[in-house]
Amino acid sequence: MGDQEYGELFQEVTKRICGSLDITEALHQTFVYLKDRIPLVMIFFSRYEIGQTKKSARLIAFANDDGGFIVDEPIVIPENTWNYLESWLKQSSQKVMPWIRDHTHPINLNIKNMLMRRFSYRAQEIANAPFETITCALKIKDQVVGNLTLMREGQVPYNQCHTQVIQAINHPFAIALSNALRYRELEQHHKALQKDASHSDENRMIGADSGLRHVRQLIEDVALTDSPVILLGSTGTGKEVAAAEIHKLSDRCKGPMISMNCGAIPESLIDSELFGHEKGAFTGAIEARPGRFERAHKGTLFLDEIGELPISAQARLLRILQTGEFERVGGSQKIRVDVRIIAATNRNIPERIRNKKFREDLWYRLYVFPILIPDLKHRKQDIPVMVDYFISKKCREMNLPACPGLAPQAMAQLQSYDWPGNVRELENIIERALILSRGRPLCFNELEPSATALTEPMLQSSENVNTLGKFRFDTLDAVMSTHIINVLSHTRGKISGVGGAAEILAIHPNTLRNRMVRLGIKNPFPRVVLQHDRT
């Protein structure tokens, strides 16, 4: 390939991969262009994060003939492979060093397993297909921002010409990945700010004048102080709503209220989420980012599921509570914040202290003003007003033209049930009833008037249906799958373009492809996805 051909390749790839902030669309358009020029069945974006205390790898996105897909899936890498990876990344920060791996390499075996899970209807085909990958680090100003991997199928290996191609297109892919990651961070930050600033009716405390009267009194007593509050109670009782009420009634109400579920964030990301990080603190940290404590300055930080916080993070949290100071990950500058802490847990913390899973000194720091939120079964007098609220809320969310009423005996059915899932379960029951009602009055015949009437059948059914009491209902995923398959049959497998399934369903073609993968739907008129070698 001559200089003129490389120049044209660079120009065309740049136009496609940098032509959209939707990384799945850009990656797919580039894949379609490249597969006619080099042996190619798939393109991957990935990222290695190698630091003193953390070694991890993660797939970010990939594209093939079916379209582009966001992955966000970890790659399992054996310990003996990390030594080579660290050396390779160090060399790649100076000069692009393509790395060719055959189908027996541990990284490729894990990629194959991921593909078999995502394309389960083609699992056997993928398992038997020999393939090879070529990977290069994507760098901007000697900083590695991620990796680009090309995959081919067949026995003939990638050669020197292919390594020159991936070196030639390295820079536009690096820019595209950096922009996509930055755009995603800004989008997530914007959503977080919107959530932080929202003190609307969504956080209304229902039952403050009846079943939660005592809780409301305690909230009013503690709101005007800066004392830490610990909210106790079962899952789904509304502890976050109580935290929002404390913030709303406090002198900090004009400041932000930042929430974090300590049990929903991987241990490796806890420090970055709580305290923020500096640019270059780890691979992929392309800019400095404030953590939850900084965002909550002059406001309230709500730490939900505090009992799930790792021991290492508990020590740093205790230090902040004592001094009000911390350092960002990768930084050395002391940052002082003025934050009021509200924590919540449904765990038995004294038992976790005895089992060395929670620090006793941190518990005493938090256990200043405990508030117990009672289970819904102990305040059933609140159910009627909750039902009205959730019906109105869900009808707005689902864009229903009118709010249906309740069938005779419906309220008696709701109040005779023991609600093991508390308020969250009630909200889900209302939403399910609205989906099934089709405008008719809501009924709840599936609820058993017994504390032992749990909903395991809904979770354990092997036939993709729910069995509740004597009634059987298709799951929402089952209904969606049937509808998509019918539309695909009507369009004879055509997904995008005029008259395609995406147009009929009024969604983006890539959204439809992603949904088909998630639901395990095989196109009734499939095209061949994995190709034989092109030489």
Side-chain angles (χ1 to χ4, degrees), residues 204-208 210-212 236-238 241 373-394 406 411 414-415 419 421-428 430-431 434 442 444:
R204 196 176 60 157
M205 190 173 182
I206 302 173
S210 52
L212 292 179
T237 52
V241 174
I373 313 296
D375 289 357
L376 183 57
K377 66 182 178 181
H378 297 311
R379 52 186 181 101
K380 290 187 176 181
Q381 66 269 37
D382 296 336
I383 288 179
V385 65
M386 285 185 177
V387 170
D388 289 343
Y389 170 74
F390 286 135
I391 289 176
S392 177
K393 175 186 174 184
K394 294 300 177 181
L406 297 181
M411 186 57 68
L414 294 173
Q415 291 192 309
W419 299 107
N422 291 296
V423 178
R424 188 176 296 132
E425 184 183 10
L426 174 61
E427 182 176 4
N428 292 340
I430 295 296
E431 183 171 358
L434 285 169
L442 306 184
F444 308 95

Side-chain angles (χ1 to χ4, degrees), residues 51-108:
Q52 293 181 346
T53 60
K54 179 176 65 174
K55 294 182 179 181
S56 63
R58 185 166 292 274
L59 288 172
I60 298 171
F62 74 88
N64 62 5
D65 278 332
D66 283 350
F69 304 89
I70 294 294
V71 188
D72 193 22
E73 184 161 334
I75 309 171
V76 179
I77 299 179
E79 185 63 32
N80 57 5
T81 306
W82 280 113
N83 293 332
Y84 178 82
L85 268 176
E86 291 175 325
S87 173
W88 175 72
L89 284 173
K90 186 175 181 180
Q91 295 179 62
S92 295
S93 66
Q94 304 299 322
K95 180 183 178 181
V96 176
M97 302 285 292
W99 179 15
I100 298 176
R101 304 185 297 259
D102 65 23
H103 68 281
T104 63
H105 194 280
I107 293 178
N108 283 350

Side-chain angles (χ1 to χ4, degrees), residues 22 24-25 28 66-69 495 502 508-515:
D22 183 345
T24 59
E25 179 181 345
H28 182 243
D66 283 350
F69 304 89
I495 290 179
H508 193 280
N510 282 341
T511 301
L512 176 56
R513 293 185 182 104
N514 286 336
R515 196 160 296 173

Side-chain angles (χ1 to χ4, degrees), residues 441-515:
L442 306 184
C443 61
F444 308 95
N445 296 325
E446 73 273 18
L447 296 180
E448 294 285 346
S450 167
T452 59
L454 303 180
T455 56
E456 279 93 344
M458 183 168 57
L459 302 175
Q460 298 173 355
S461 173
S462 60
E463 300 175 355
N464 204 28
V465 296
N466 290 340
T467 305
L468 301 172
K470 61 181 180 179
F471 295 88
R472 290 170 64 88
F473 300 107
D474 284 341
T475 64
L476 188 57
D477 278 355
V479 173
M480 191 184 303
S481 296
T482 301
H483 186 52
I484 290 175
I485 291 171
N486 289 338
V487 173
L488 286 170
S489 298
H490 173 73
T491 64
R492 299 190 64 79
K494 183 178 181 181
I495 290 179
S496 58
V498 178
E503 182 182 68
I504 294 174
L505 295 169
I507 59 176
H508 193 280
N510 282 341
T511 301
L512 176 56
R513 293 185 182 104
N514 286 336
R515 196 160 296 173

